Amino acid sequence: MPTRSIKAIFFTRFHHEKGSRVLHQVPEGSITPSSSPSALSNPLLPFSSITSYLIPTQQFCDRLLTFCVNHYRVIGYPVCIREGRYSRNEFRFNFAVVVEEGVADWACYGEVVRKLGGLLRGLEEQGGFLSREEEGIWEDDAEGLEGGVLVGDVGSKVYALCEVVLEDLNNYAECMIPIDESNTINLKLFPTHAPPPPIHPHHVPLLTISLSSLTTPLSSDLTLTRIVPFINGIHSVSHISLLADTDLSLTRKAVQHLVYYGCVVLLDIFSFSAIYAPTAEIGGFITDVRAQEECARYVRVPRMLDRRQVKMGSESEKSRDRSSHSSHTSRDSEPDVEHERKHSDAPSISTASISSVSEHAGQEHRKSATEVDMEQGKISPETLIMLYTSLRQGLHLRSWVLENLAQLNGIDIRRLITFGVIKGFLYRVHKYAVSPSVVNPLATMTSTTPTRPSDQVTLRGAPPTTAMAPRLSHKPSIASTAVTMPKAEEVARLESIASEDREALPLVRFLDGVHSFDEICTELRMSEKDVEAKVRGAGEVQLLFR
Amino acid sequence: MSLPLPPASTLHSILLVTKSRSLGPRLVFHYPPLSPSATALAADQAPAWFGYGTSTGSLDGSHDDSSDWDSSTDNDDDIEVGSRTSGGKGSGRTSYRDKDKHSRPGVGIWGRQESIDEEDVEEHVEGKSDKEGKGQGGDYDWNTVLGFKIDALEKLLCPSKAFNKRRFELGVEGIVFVGAPMFVRDDGFWKKPRRRKDRPKEKADESVANNNIQDSDGDGSGIPSTEASFVYPEGFEPGYGHGLMSGAVSEAGSDTRSNSTTGNVPDMTMFNIVFVLNPPALEYQLRVKEMYDNVTRKFAKVLKYEQARYHYVWSESKRIIDIKQRAKEMGESLSVTWQQIVNTSPLAKWIAILFDAIASNKIAHIHFDRSFSTSFQIPQADSTPYLPNALEPQMPGLWLTTSNVVTEDDDGTPLTQHSALLLLEDAETLIKDLESDSRGSTAPLAFYIRNIVPTKSLQKISIKHNILAQDMEYVASHLVFWRRARLIPPLHPRDTYIVSPNADMSALHAAIPAYAARFPTLPSLPKILSLLSGTPKPYRFFIPTNEHRERYMEILAWLMRGGWVTQLRTFAWVRPNDAGSTSSNRTTIPLHRPSSPSPLPQGKPHHRPSPLHLKPSEEATRSPLSPTHNVFSPALPSPPPHTTTHAGFAPSIVLSPQKANALESRWLEKIGATFEDSEVRDFWPKLLRHLDGKHAVEDVGAQEGVKRGVVWRVWGAVREGGWLVVVRHW
């Protein structure tokens, strides 16, 4: 974390007669030449050409002012205090930090400088923290020290401040400096994080760190404390909000916070009817032995969970309750995630389904394979590679499991897939439905506006403005489909075709190819099967996989 | 491998600042006339930029962001509606979008700009209303720009001479001023006088200038080469209001003039063209660099060239200052005055064109004068091999492929020759565009463009039409650079195409009618996409008859153009696996214990090997377990694949056949020897080169100069032998 990015810190003062002058600099000689024995031989910056940015006009004071010169970035916060007790009624200074120009995340230094500027201003206003030290300074160098640098200002508090801030921020990324009995400066470099993406109800959060192991309470956010126990890489956000009995939007926000701090990654809803396929990153996995080992450790089922295995197995560390629990879940013979995830927790879910599925397979083989697996306790990288590379577009996980039964022994399928998704070498092929009648009315409207104006008028109640049409077509959101669902007869038709019950209409708005089945299912709280049946009923609907 | 960021110039404004002996530092011109107000920039910006919302809260950042996350944000709205209907309480709910809007008082102005970016077509309409909307506010405020007092700003933007031709970068809170200051030389010239002795120096100077300009932007096509071609640009009046220009009728005049009359003391000593950006903190370095390298510096160089030729920048500056002064005295509004300035001063017009295009991430074509025009853009990625996950910036519609990834160990042959060129617009539209853009002859270019088809590699096209390969390549790279075309692997019915996971589904609305208009009698777009999104199959399976072939290939090209589909490419590595060979120690762990008479996987009723299914594991199971296999207990990390210090050779995947170590080479030789077919055996070494997981098998034919049938025959045989790890992706 400490990068030693700060190359120098210096304190510039503006004197109404003598101009801008560097009063303190760490290290010595970094800004203006210094006669100190430890001084740098060459200043980092040409001070004379940057004074106008260090001490700018009133307009630019009390703002963060940065500029690049000589491949360094100077981050300053010029302050101008206007008060009667100063000569010319103003006191101007700048406490600036120098980092290298290429430092990517220099924003955190900007924050530190801003804070320091404000603090110094306060200290000066309160008790003349800065001006007190200056007595005699401006006179004694009248003989003309080069660049006006004061040498050996060891007793100076401001110099000490420069020194401590530089060292501590460079070494520990934070510092605490007591100024007097009532003031302390606390600084910390906070890395800049990317803005979090919006969280959807069908996203599945998975913690990347163990939040439960934190000793201090995680947060005072009640929603967050309530949802964290349910974040396990299986429950979707909407499901979590149900389980934790929290408001969905607050839940989404809480998850967004976790995402922002990198505590959570987002997955899709795991299901055996889903399709996964490798991305271009798969090459990285195949060539990376360490990733394969990590994967093998991650996906391995720690012990065989079947009763029969317990009987024949000699593993003593096997815990009873665990195996009984899973054998219980293994009776839920449908590999239906929607169903299962209500009952089981993370590790048992897919193994349960494996065991249930594999009951159909040869018993004998199973035994022997497990036996081997137990002895070796290891999944070979070849198996992993073979399994991953055999995933492809158009192949449901269900069928894939059946195709690869033998190799999947001792492997937690959900973890196997999740591992790939987390590492980015697998992607979920989402399913979408497109109904031409939902997409088209709008589309034809935009493309052939002049030809069929009558339609438009009757439907929208007002003549469509040409300016509006393209914009609407551009936004695939529900808002636009709702507004521009112009063809009453279309809607009516869909409604009648789709089904007898009233759920047809909410479904229709998802058929524009923008909403994945995960999303539709979560929204409507229906199983994928039911949704698909309804969708197919809604006339000529095309299913897309993307 | 990192994800390219969505294009977002975050450009707010362009300023032209000059420093002259007579007027001092002067902000000559800024565009657009009304920039975001002081409050919007200073008050609103500061916390947002460093704070939680990083870019979401910042003015322009937010608008770019909202388009970055476009599809998702829109979905967001849906969900809000959905949760409302499904019983979610609306009380404490704030959608991210709403929050955004509330926290940004300045959104009124820039919110409008959003729609411009989103919808090109609207631009003109929107642009107008935009102007009018702004007209209400500070339209009569002549004293501030971007919320700063002009006199303070202009001083700040006139750096000392140390910054000559350097990057000038000044950040004030969240916004940054990026400039390329140009200073007059100490001898009073704007360019290095060469061959001063040759007094009839017009030509020399001219050519020097030409060289300069050619160097600077690599586009020397339209540059005047002789005195004769010199024509004043529209609206340019030599000698307007100032003595300096009176001599400009003869080219050398300006130089001579400044020599004699003003005695090497030109009035203007510096100009600085400053771009005001507002990049999100995390993208700061990238955005600033992009802007400086691609636009700021190049534009400044052109201006300097113009200044050196006819003192153009300064004379125009004075003209603009004059108009402004008069308008200010008359109490006119900024927007009206700006209209007038842009109409009268070409310099102002260039800046306006530049701003409009760059701010909306487009290409700015600027005709500097009759004979010299050039274009500016911030290059954009046209493809990515990397599919973003839910946490990363989305770029829906960006072409997903590895075919454009340059691997470091590519052999000399330029990839371009084997690629086809996919025009992103129709050939005729493109030609028309080019004709209106450039003033030279476009006939040859039009000839090239008409002959470009996405199904043939450039090499084939150039052979067929007798075009020089270099010419073809030059045209191709030109078109690609200016976003008119993309280099793709030639489309072929035998190749497999899938719906791209990065396809922009939100564009489906617009795409369906566009498609229907183009291919009226053929299956609809959703239908085609549905076909292509099933189990991957070579494209020819979707073509009903031979007569349809051409139309279907057109469909494919159209889909490719829109980023709807991408080619599914095959990658492979060699995996030595045979038992009873050079190695006896094995790390490959069979799934079955040899002692137990277990049925082998292929005997299983459910076990259907897929086309991609790898057989080797079955063979592996037959071999006896090595006694040493216990060495590799799970606790121990297995040795890296290339360690030769290891007791025995573990037949692991050969990562790079061309850099194979001794043992691997022996394996590869041995594998080669097992092939019975001589054709396969002969081709094996050539094929081998591509089996490193980085080169697609689909490309082998073109690169090795063999028919694709041969490649696939050999490929089939090798795969049959179970020597490969095969994976398919884009």
Side-chain angles (χ1 to χ4, degrees):
Chain A
M1 169 69 185
T3 49
R4 296 209 67 89
S5 292
I6 302 180
K7 298 299 165 203
I9 293 186
F10 63 102
F11 178 76
T12 316
R13 267 277 285 122
F14 178 76
H15 190 267
H16 60 279
E17 278 169 4
K18 309 205 163 140
S20 307
R21 190 160 293 184
V22 175
L23 292 190
H24 309 287
Q25 52 180 330
V26 178
E28 285 292 348
S30 52
I31 309 301
T32 47
S34 161
S35 55
S36 152
S38 59
L40 301 183
S41 51
N42 284 316
L44 303 173
L45 322 162
F47 179 70
S48 58
S49 63
I50 58 173
T51 45
S52 57
Y53 306 117
L54 287 170
I55 306 291
T57 53
Q58 183 78 39
Q59 263 273 297
F60 292 91
C61 282
D62 294 295
R63 291 164 192 268
L64 199 62
L65 212 61
T66 61
F67 54 91
C68 291
V69 62
N70 213 12
H71 302 295
Y72 288 100
R73 185 182 300 277
V74 182
I75 308 170
Y77 188 82
V79 175
C80 176
I81 303 173
R82 315 202 84 171
E83 242 180 84
R85 62 186 159 114
Y86 305 113
S87 49
R88 301 272 171 93
N89 295 336
E90 57 176 26
F91 185 85
R92 295 208 220 170
F93 67 92
N94 191 352
F95 191 96
V97 162
V98 180
V99 297
E100 260 166 31
E101 190 182 303
V103 171
D105 185 14
W106 57 269
C108 55
Y109 298 100
E111 276 311 276
V112 163
V113 171
R114 181 203 303 279
K115 185 173 179 185
L116 259 176
L119 282 169
L120 288 175
R121 183 195 186 105
L123 288 171
E124 170 63 25
E125 282 170 345
Q126 279 174 27
F129 178 72
L130 301 169
S131 55
R132 229 175 8 201
E133 283 186 359
E134 284 183 19
E135 279 166 24
I137 279 181
W138 295 98
E139 286 82 41
D140 71 350
D141 64 335
E143 296 85 50
L145 271 170
E146 271 297 294
V149 179
L150 300 164
V151 192
D153 40 354
V154 186
S156 162
K157 277 192 168 181
V158 183
Y159 180 81
L161 187 69
C162 295
E163 214 169 16
V164 176
V165 169
L166 179 102
E167 283 308 313
D168 284 5
L169 287 187
N170 271 347
N171 290 323
Y172 315 110
E174 59 184 28
C175 65
M176 189 183 89
I177 307 162
I179 300 293
D180 49 39
E181 54 281 358
S182 54
N183 291 297
T184 309
I185 293 181
N186 283 290
L187 299 172
K188 187 171 162 68
L189 295 173
F190 290 100
T192 317
H193 294 292
I199 308 295
H200 296 300
H202 61 273
H203 279 147
V204 176
L206 174 66
L207 290 171
T208 54
I209 57 165
S210 168
L211 290 178
S212 53
S213 67
L214 293 177
T215 46
T216 50
L218 180 65
S219 156
S220 56
D221 183 347
L222 291 178
T223 314
L224 198 59
T225 9
R226 273 170 84 171
I227 64 163
V228 161
F230 298 99
I231 298 180
N232 58 2
I234 299 168
H235 301 322
S236 67
V237 171
S238 93
H239 194 207
I240 289 172
S241 83
L242 279 183
L243 291 173
D245 192 23
T246 49
D247 177 68
L248 178 61
S249 68
L250 292 180
T251 310
R252 285 164 62 186
K253 224 171 198 172
V255 173
Q256 199 175 30
H257 278 98
L258 292 174
V259 167
Y260 177 73
Y261 288 107
C263 308
V264 141
V265 291
L266 296 179
L267 307 173
D268 55 287
I269 298 175
F270 178 84
S271 130
F272 280 91
S273 55
I275 300 173
Y276 294 89
T279 73
E281 306 292 295
I282 187 85
F285 177 76
I286 290 174
T287 53
D288 184 353
V289 179
R290 210 171 292 160
Q292 291 158 9
E293 281 163 8
E294 190 188 340
C295 180
R297 274 198 303 275
Y298 183 75
V299 304
R300 200 179 122 218
V301 178
R303 44 194 90 77
M304 288 323 286
L305 302 166
D306 223 80
R307 276 249 168 83
R308 292 180 302 272
Q309 299 303 325
V310 177
K311 252 187 276 159
M312 58 150 265
S314 52
E315 322 279 286
S316 53
E317 90 274 358
K318 206 170 285 175
S319 68
R320 277 276 147 196
D321 58 341
R322 191 63 192 251
S323 55
S324 64
H325 170 65
S326 43
S327 63
H328 162 71
T329 45
S330 74
R331 301 229 167 83
D332 300 340
S333 51
E334 273 309 305
D336 177 4
V337 175
E338 287 284 331
H339 181 54
E340 266 178 23
R341 62 176 188 193
K342 281 169 195 143
H343 301 293
S344 56
D345 60 0
S348 60
I349 165 168
S350 50
T351 45
S353 21
I354 302 172
S355 41
S356 64
V357 169
S358 42
E359 247 158 4
H360 306 294
Q363 187 95 0
E364 227 177 333
H365 152 67
R366 224 177 105 65
K367 241 187 237 165
S368 65
T370 7
E371 219 175 322
V372 170
D373 191 61
M374 272 176 187
E375 271 185 41
Q376 298 172 334
K378 184 175 177 190
I379 301 150
S380 74
E382 274 79 16
T383 313
L384 292 175
I385 291 172
M386 196 283 292
L387 286 172
Y388 279 130
T389 52
S390 62
L391 284 163
R392 61 165 193 270
Q393 289 85 0
L395 177 68
H396 290 274
L397 203 54
R398 205 187 298 121
S399 337
W400 176 80
V401 169
L402 293 176
E403 272 181 22
N404 298 284
L405 257 190
Q407 284 79 10
L408 283 169
N409 258 303
I411 292 179
D412 184 326
I413 297 179
R414 184 187 61 80
R415 285 185 158 223
L416 183 75
I417 298 298
T418 311
F419 185 85
V421 174
I422 294 171
K423 297 286 173 184
F425 62 81
L426 286 188
Y427 76 99
R428 166 80 186 274
V429 182
H430 282 284
K431 183 150 77 167
Y432 299 83
V434 182
S435 163
S437 26
V438 172
V439 177
N440 262 340
L442 174 62
T444 42
M445 182 180 87
T446 60
S447 63
T448 60
T449 310
T451 59
R452 32 197 330 191
S454 59
D455 265 8
Q456 314 295 326
V457 176
T458 51
L459 289 163
R460 313 180 105 226
T465 56
T466 37
M468 260 181 96
R471 170 136 31 133
L472 287 171
S473 77
H474 196 75
K475 292 214 173 162
S477 69
I478 185 62
S480 65
T481 30
V483 174
T484 57
M485 191 73 74
K487 301 197 160 186
E489 75 274 18
E490 280 285 0
V491 176
R493 189 178 66 83
L494 272 170
E495 202 171 0
S496 63
I497 291 173
S499 66
E500 301 74 34
D501 57 19
R502 324 202 80 227
E503 273 160 12
L505 206 54
L507 184 60
V508 161
R509 67 190 169 91
F510 292 118
L511 302 186
D512 57 0
V514 181
H515 305 278
S516 70
F517 263 57
D518 270 9
E519 198 180 334
I520 304 175
C521 295
T522 318
E523 279 300 307
L524 301 179
R525 312 226 169 146
M526 288 160 78
S527 75
E528 190 179 331
K529 220 178 190 175
D530 294 348
V531 171
E532 190 166 340
K534 279 200 189 309
V535 164
R536 289 208 184 275
E540 34 159 349
V541 172
Q542 297 291 343
L543 293 182
L544 305 184
F545 294 87
R546 177 190 83 129
Chain B
M1 213 179 287
S2 72
L3 186 73
L5 284 166
S9 69
T10 73
L11 180 63
H12 276 297
S13 186
I14 301 180
L15 318 175
L16 175 65
V17 186
T18 61
K19 189 172 186 177
S20 59
R21 289 174 216 275
S22 55
L23 298 172
R26 191 55 83 95
L27 176 65
V28 173
F29 186 65
H30 62 276
Y31 192 89
L34 295 163
S35 30
S37 67
T39 44
L41 276 174
D44 186 37
Q45 177 95 59
W49 188 46
F50 289 112
Y52 173 65
T54 316
S55 67
T56 332
S58 60
L59 280 174
D60 217 47
S62 75
H63 108 240
D64 288 306
D65 253 39
S66 64
S67 56
D68 299 347
W69 301 101
D70 204 4
S71 56
S72 31
T73 336
D74 285 337
N75 294 351
D76 209 46
D77 284 356
D78 298 356
I79 287 141
E80 291 303 324
V81 174
S83 58
R84 214 167 288 144
T85 52
S86 56
K89 281 273 166 284
S91 53
R93 183 148 31 77
T94 333
S95 93
Y96 306 108
R97 229 175 207 202
D98 292 347
K99 185 192 75 190
D100 249 23
K101 279 177 188 150
H102 296 318
S103 67
R104 288 188 296 145
V107 80
I109 293 169
W110 292 90
R112 285 178 162 278
Q113 207 88 51
E114 255 182 79
S115 47
I116 293 184
D117 271 13
E118 280 181 320
E119 191 53 80
D120 301 350
V121 191
E122 277 178 290
E123 190 173 25
H124 286 289
V125 184
E126 279 292 310
K128 284 229 174 66
S129 66
D130 199 14
K131 222 166 245 173
E132 282 154 22
K134 284 176 183 174
Q136 311 305 318
D139 207 0
Y140 293 89
D141 184 1
W142 285 87
N143 298 318
T144 64
V145 167
L146 298 153
F148 300 115
K149 289 243 168 56
I150 285 183
D151 51 349
L153 191 62
E154 58 198 9
K155 280 197 196 87
L156 213 58
L157 296 179
C158 285
S160 69
K161 193 148 187 190
F163 286 90
N164 189 16
K165 293 201 263 185
R166 299 254 177 89
R167 176 156 96 187
F168 169 80
E169 188 185 325
L170 176 72
V172 180
E173 291 294 341
I175 61 169
V176 56
F177 297 86
V178 184
M182 293 292 179
F183 285 81
V184 73
R185 291 164 50 86
D186 287 336
D187 57 14
F189 293 103
W190 282 92
K191 64 190 175 212
K192 199 190 240 170
R194 251 194 248 166
R195 294 191 230 156
R196 298 299 302 171
K197 299 269 161 60
D198 316 350
R199 207 39 209 155
K201 63 172 183 69
E202 289 94 326
K203 291 215 170 145
D205 265 7
E206 190 61 49
S207 68
V208 170
N210 285 346
N211 289 341
N212 284 346
I213 212 85
Q214 256 157 339
D215 291 344
S216 65
D217 54 7
D219 183 358
S221 51
I223 291 177
S225 51
T226 60
E227 211 174 330
S229 72
F230 166 64
V231 181
Y232 285 112
E234 242 177 302
F236 180 85
E237 299 161 61
Y240 177 89
H242 201 271
L244 264 190
M245 291 314 297
S246 59
V249 181
S250 114
E251 283 217 73
S254 57
D255 277 348
T256 351
R257 196 78 181 186
S258 56
N259 273 339
S260 53
T261 56
T262 49
N264 275 5
V265 187
D267 198 2
M268 184 170 74
T269 54
M270 183 221 69
F271 69 87
N272 192 6
I273 184 92
V274 182
F275 289 64
V276 185
L277 314 184
N278 179 15
L282 285 176
E283 299 166 18
Y284 180 93
Q285 301 279 12
L286 173 79
R287 301 294 185 199
V288 169
K289 185 176 166 19
E290 275 179 349
M291 184 61 74
Y292 179 75
D293 289 351
N294 295 302
V295 184
T296 313
R297 193 165 55 104
K298 287 185 178 176
F299 190 64
K301 275 194 176 174
V302 174
L303 290 190
K304 188 181 182 185
Y305 167 72
E306 297 287 333
Q307 171 68 13
R309 282 208 298 181
Y310 334 111
H311 288 260
Y312 190 65
V313 174
W314 182 229
S315 62
E316 285 295 300
S317 295
K318 275 186 295 193
R319 172 138 60 132
I320 295 169
I321 292 170
D322 263 11
I323 299 175
K324 273 166 69 174
Q325 194 58 40
R326 246 179 284 137
K328 192 177 169 182
E329 281 159 13
M330 304 280 286
E332 279 180 56
S333 75
L334 282 178
S335 32
V336 172
T337 315
W338 251 246
Q339 200 108 40
Q340 191 197 343
I341 294 174
V342 170
N343 287 338
T344 33
S345 164
L347 178 63
K349 196 175 181 71
W350 303 341
I351 292 175
I353 293 173
L354 192 66
F355 174 83
D356 289 339
I358 301 295
S360 49
N361 305 312
K362 283 188 260 175
I363 299 175
H365 303 282
I366 300 180
H367 301 292
F368 286 99
D369 54 44
R370 166 108 23 126
S371 53
F372 173 42
S373 69
T374 188
S375 303
F376 302 88
Q377 68 159 340
I378 294 174
Q380 295 175 4
D382 70 349
S383 71
T384 174
Y386 186 75
L387 180 67
N389 66 30
L391 301 176
E392 288 160 328
Q394 310 286 312
M395 283 188 76
L398 188 67
W399 181 37
L400 198 62
T401 186
T402 54
S403 70
N404 279 0
V405 177
V406 183
T407 47
E408 63 280 8
D409 46 25
D410 268 329
D411 44 349
T413 43
L415 218 64
T416 341
Q417 285 296 312
H418 302 303
S419 307
L421 202 61
L422 176 69
L423 297 178
L424 297 178
E425 288 150 72
D426 290 331
E428 294 309 317
T429 329
L430 192 55
I431 290 165
K432 214 183 281 169
D433 264 16
L434 289 173
E435 275 165 357
S436 68
D437 272 355
S438 69
R439 319 217 162 191
S441 159
T442 50
L445 199 57
F447 172 71
Y448 294 146
I449 289 172
R450 286 206 180 89
N451 284 314
I452 285 169
V453 283
T455 47
K456 289 225 164 37
S457 71
L458 293 180
Q459 200 174 27
K460 282 188 189 155
I461 295 174
S462 51
I463 289 168
K464 186 175 166 200
H465 296 284
N466 246 337
I467 301 170
L468 271 180
Q470 299 98 294
D471 286 1
M472 203 66 217
E473 218 166 295
Y474 176 78
V475 170
S477 64
H478 187 81
L479 290 173
V480 169
F481 184 75
W482 295 109
R483 307 185 201 164
R484 306 292 200 163
R486 264 193 329 233
L487 284 172
I488 58 166
L491 300 177
H492 198 281
R494 282 181 192 278
D495 284 333
T496 308
Y497 299 88
I498 56 164
V499 174
S500 164
N502 206 32
D504 183 6
M505 298 305 267
S506 57
L508 202 60
H509 268 300
I512 288 177
Y515 172 96
R518 211 177 160 114
F519 309 105
T521 55
L522 294 162
S524 71
L525 178 61
K527 178 85 190 148
I528 284 282
L529 290 179
S530 178
L531 287 176
L532 288 170
S533 66
T535 308
K537 271 186 276 189
Y539 189 67
R540 70 191 160 97
F541 286 114
F542 303 114
I543 305 177
T545 66
N546 235 352
E547 286 83 66
H548 285 87
R549 190 177 143 141
E550 205 169 310
R551 285 302 270 168
Y552 268 73
M553 290 316 281
E554 279 173 34
I555 291 181
L556 186 60
W558 190 90
L559 292 173
M560 206 67 181
R561 199 190 269 181
W564 294 105
V565 297
T566 187
Q567 188 191 359
L568 196 62
R569 293 143 59 80
T570 312
F571 299 83
W573 292 262
V574 180
R575 180 175 55 186
N577 56 25
D578 196 6
S581 56
T582 48
S583 129
S584 60
N585 291 341
R586 306 179 50 81
T587 45
T588 351
I589 292 146
L591 290 156
H592 311 288
R593 213 176 149 92
S595 53
S596 71
S598 62
L600 288 165
Q602 67 263 42
K604 293 255 165 333
H606 287 299
H607 188 80
R608 281 174 281 118
S610 74
L612 296 172
H613 189 86
L614 299 168
K615 291 188 181 125
S617 61
E618 294 161 18
E619 292 178 36
T621 57
R622 283 186 203 134
S623 66
L625 271 175
S626 147
T628 57
H629 83 93
N630 279 337
V631 172
F632 305 104
S633 70
L636 284 174
S638 73
H642 288 302
T643 39
T644 40
T645 52
H646 178 43
F649 171 66
S652 57
I653 292 168
V654 180
L655 298 185
S656 172
Q658 287 189 291
K659 293 179 196 146
N661 61 26
L663 268 166
E664 285 174 344
S665 323
R666 278 170 66 198
W667 267 114
L668 296 177
E669 256 170 57
K670 194 171 151 35
I671 293 170
T674 60
F675 300 122
E676 313 212 319
D677 190 343
S678 66
E679 183 186 43
V680 178
R681 222 178 309 136
D682 291 347
F683 195 65
W684 169 245
K686 282 186 184 166
L687 180 66
L688 205 50
R689 234 183 287 168
H690 301 270
L691 302 182
D692 61 353
K694 288 180 189 141
H695 296 86
V697 181
E698 280 80 3
D699 295 344
V700 172
Q703 294 194 6
E704 299 294 337
V706 278
K707 285 223 160 6
R708 60 193 296 125
V710 178
V711 175
W712 288 111
R713 256 205 313 285
V714 174
W715 168 253
V718 176
R719 223 165 104 155
E720 197 71 8
W723 303 109
L724 299 175
V725 173
V726 184
V727 65
R728 303 186 85 186
H729 56 74
W730 42 83

